[in-house]
């Protein structure tokens, strides 16, 4: 038998022993770590993060429905799994007297393997922002068929949801779920001596080109305000600008072009997007009326990606006061995604009555009478489904 297997593995030599051996000529030399072959590896964890807003209407009618009873959001997908938020107006158990509860539920019971997730649930204030004073921490949990829910048993005190609460808007509250699902963890070998590639700066470079004005060859006047730009950039980003600047009438194209029926700030935002492919900060909120005007400008000049981005932002900001005017806008500019979002919102339970009392609904009836049939058909389908459940 090899003696080493009896005595056990050789003991490591302390660095000081190596130094002593080298000093006394024992044949050992201190290794030069910079000249040795070097390898390294990195553990990578892939995850997906999703945000879901669950709006609970008529909260005062839910108060008193009973401990353990809940209302649920629709299911939403994150990380290849299905989830939902459940809200308990009188608490999930008798232990949370005086509190409401909120839980995240996992629906893929047919999958035996658990899924790791990190999430938080918070109430939004009236302006759509999360409170800085009352923010719940993130929770970590491995969801599985045996443990399919996790959350805040004492989500918030019921006394903080009375009339005048910053979380209530027209007797409605919104719970925001921010969920990160872990997909996989793996280890990869690092490439040595590889050059670090910086992130792309093309959008910044083009933004500076617009701002600096070097090489501009066309000027637009909008309500007395001038904007200078580059014909080639505009032509390759907008088919309307291309026809106007390089089409059959290009020989008559003027160096100064007047733009009517548009505000200067909207035309500036349009140019910003054409050059950078990004929304300016001034037009990044669907609740801002500028977003509607920017959608009209994008449709007018055939900037399809901008039009779809405006549709998405407006869809996220739909509420009782604005849904009718937003639907009229969607009808006028053939925005199918925004149209579906508006009709779906109007057909939600207890929504159509308050919407019909707004001035925007009267405008919708006058400008787009045919859309009323689509709304009523949608409402009829939902009510029919509820009766068969």
């Amino acid at each position: 038998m090899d003696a080493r297997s009896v005595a056990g593995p050789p003991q490591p030599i302390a660095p000081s022993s190596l130094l002593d051996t080298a000093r006394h000529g024992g044949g050992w030399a201190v290794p030069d770590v910079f000249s040795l072959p070097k390898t390294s590896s990195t553990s990578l964890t892939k995850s997906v993060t999703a945000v879901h807003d669950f709006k609970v209407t008529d909260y005062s009618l839910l108060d008193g429905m009973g401990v353990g009873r809940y209302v649920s959001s629709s299911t939403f997908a994150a990380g290849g799994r299905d989830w939902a938020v459940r809200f308990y107006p009188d608490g999930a158990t008798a232990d949370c007297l005086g509190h409401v509860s909120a839980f995240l539920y996992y629906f893929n019971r047919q999958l035996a393997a658990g899924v790791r997730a990190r999430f938080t649930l918070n109430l939004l204030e009236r302006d759509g922002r999360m409170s800085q004073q009352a923010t719940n921490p993130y929770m970590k949990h491995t969801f599985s068929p045996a443990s399919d829910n996790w959350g805040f048993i004492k989500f918030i005190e019921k006394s903080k949801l009375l009339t005048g609460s910053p979380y209530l808007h027209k007797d409605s509250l919104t719970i925001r779920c921010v969920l990160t699902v872990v997909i996989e963890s793996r280890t990869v070998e690092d490439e040595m001596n590889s050059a670090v590639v910086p992130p792309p700066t093309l959008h910044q470079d083009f933004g500076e080109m617009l701002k600096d004005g070097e090489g501009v060859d066309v000027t637009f006047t909008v309500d007395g305000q001038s904007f200078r730009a580059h014909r080639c950039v505009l032509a390759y980003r907008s088919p309307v600008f291309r026809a106007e600047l390089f089409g059959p009438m290009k020989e008559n194209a003027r160096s100064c072009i007047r733009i009517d029926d548009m505000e200067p700030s909207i035309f500036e935002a349009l140019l910003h997007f054409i050059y950078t492919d990004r929304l300016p900060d001034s037009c990044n909120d669907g609740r801002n009326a500028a977003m509607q005007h920017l959608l009209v400008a994008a449709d007018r000049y055939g900037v399809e990606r901008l039009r779809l981005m405006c549709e998405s932002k407006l869809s996220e900001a739909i509420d009782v006061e604005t849904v009718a005017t937003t639907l009229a806008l969607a009808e006028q500019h053939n925005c199918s995604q925004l149209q579906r979002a508006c009709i779906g919102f109007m057909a939600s339970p207890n929504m159509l009555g308050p919407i019909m009392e707004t001035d925007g609904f009267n405008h919708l009836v006058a400008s787009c009478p045919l859309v009323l049939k689509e709304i009523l058909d949608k409402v009829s389908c939902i009510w029919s489904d509820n009766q068969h459940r």
Side-chain angles (χ1 to χ4, degrees):
M1 180 181 290
D2 189 333
R4 286 176 295 181
S5 64
V6 175
Q11 297 299 311
I13 302 176
S16 58
S17 301
L18 288 173
L19 292 172
D20 292 340
T21 304
R23 291 192 186 101
H24 293 90
W28 286 88
V30 178
D32 180 5
V33 295
F34 296 103
S35 63
L36 295 175
K38 180 184 176 182
T39 60
S40 65
S41 60
T42 301
S43 174
L44 302 176
T45 300
K46 184 179 179 181
S47 64
V48 173
T49 299
V51 178
H52 182 82
D53 288 348
F54 175 33
K55 185 174 183 179
V56 180
T57 61
D58 299 315
Y59 167 71
S60 60
L61 300 180
L62 299 177
D63 187 19
M65 67 186 299
V67 174
R69 298 178 65 85
Y70 62 84
V71 291
S72 176
S73 73
S74 61
T75 58
F76 59 95
R81 304 292 196 274
D82 293 326
W83 311 83
V85 175
R86 291 184 180 177
F87 175 66
Y88 296 77
D90 290 319
T93 66
D95 298 331
C96 48
L97 183 66
H99 291 77
V100 301
S101 303
F103 282 76
L104 177 66
Y105 271 73
Y106 169 71
F107 279 91
N108 298 91
R109 289 176 166 272
Q110 72 277 15
L111 302 176
V115 56
R116 291 185 295 133
R118 187 183 73 149
F119 71 96
T120 189
L121 300 170
N122 283 292
L123 285 173
L124 299 186
E125 294 186 340
R126 296 176 185 174
D127 59 1
R129 303 177 187 274
M130 285 198 300
S131 170
Q132 299 299 316
Q133 288 75 30
T135 302
N136 290 319
Y138 276 91
M139 306 184 90
K140 295 181 180 179
H141 186 65
T142 299
F143 290 85
S144 67
S147 181
D148 63 355
N149 68 88
W150 204 254
F152 300 90
I153 193 166
K154 293 184 177 180
F155 183 53
I156 191 172
E157 297 174 16
K158 297 179 69 172
S159 60
K160 295 181 178 179
L161 295 177
L162 300 177
T163 302
S165 167
Y167 307 111
L168 284 179
H169 178 60
K170 297 183 178 179
D171 204 24
S172 299
L173 59 85
T174 301
I175 302 171
R176 172 163 292 176
C177 172
V178 181
L179 169 63
T180 298
V181 181
V182 178
I183 305 300
E184 63 175 347
S185 296
R186 59 190 179 93
T187 300
V188 297
E189 293 184 4
D190 296 335
E191 294 184 8
M192 304 308 299
N193 301 321
S194 59
V196 177
V197 179
T201 60
L202 185 63
H203 66 286
Q204 296 173 349
D205 297 338
F206 269 68
E208 289 299 319
M209 183 172 72
L210 175 65
K211 185 183 300 183
D212 293 345
E214 185 174 354
V216 296
D217 54 4
V218 64
T219 301
F220 297 90
T221 60
V222 186
D223 196 21
Q225 189 170 337
S226 297
F227 298 92
R228 299 185 301 166
H230 305 79
R231 292 173 181 266
C232 286
V233 176
L234 300 180
Y236 277 90
R237 293 281 283 160
S238 161
V240 177
F241 276 128
R242 179 181 299 180
E244 184 174 343
L245 299 173
F246 294 99
M249 300 299 291
K250 65 179 181 179
E251 65 274 5
N252 296 327
R254 298 157 291 169
S255 60
C256 185
I257 300 174
R258 178 179 171 180
I259 303 293
D260 295 319
D261 302 323
M262 189 178 299
E263 298 176 6
S265 60
I266 300 303
F267 188 76
E268 184 178 22
L270 174 67
L271 288 181
H272 178 88
F273 183 87
I274 285 176
Y275 276 76
T276 67
D277 208 45
R278 283 164 169 75
L279 289 170
D281 293 338
S282 60
C283 292
N284 203 26
D285 187 353
R287 296 176 179 85
N288 192 332
M291 185 62 69
Q292 295 190 3
H293 295 299
L294 188 56
L295 183 146
V296 174
D299 184 51
R300 174 175 172 177
Y301 285 96
V303 187
E304 185 65 13
R305 174 171 157 79
L306 175 59
R307 187 177 68 84
L308 292 173
M309 289 176 68
C310 292
E311 281 194 59
S312 176
K313 292 287 185 180
L314 290 169
S315 297
E316 296 171 359
I318 292 170
D319 60 26
V320 171
E321 296 296 331
T322 63
V323 64
T325 53
T326 302
L327 179 55
L329 180 74
E331 285 287 320
Q332 293 164 3
H333 296 277
N334 299 314
C335 301
S336 58
Q337 297 182 39
L338 183 57
Q339 180 189 25
R340 287 195 297 270
C342 290
I343 292 177
F345 181 87
M346 297 175 80
S348 302
N350 305 320
M351 281 294 178
L352 189 55
I355 292 171
M356 292 176 66
E357 297 177 0
T358 63
D359 294 336
F361 189 81
N362 295 330
H363 169 70
L364 177 66
V365 173
S367 59
C368 307
L370 294 179
V371 78
L372 294 180
K373 183 179 184 301
E374 296 183 52
I375 298 172
L376 295 176
D377 287 345
K378 183 73 173 179
V379 172
S380 176
C381 288
I382 293 177
W383 287 354
S384 177
D385 290 342
N386 291 337
Q387 290 175 354
H388 289 86
R389 287 179 180 176

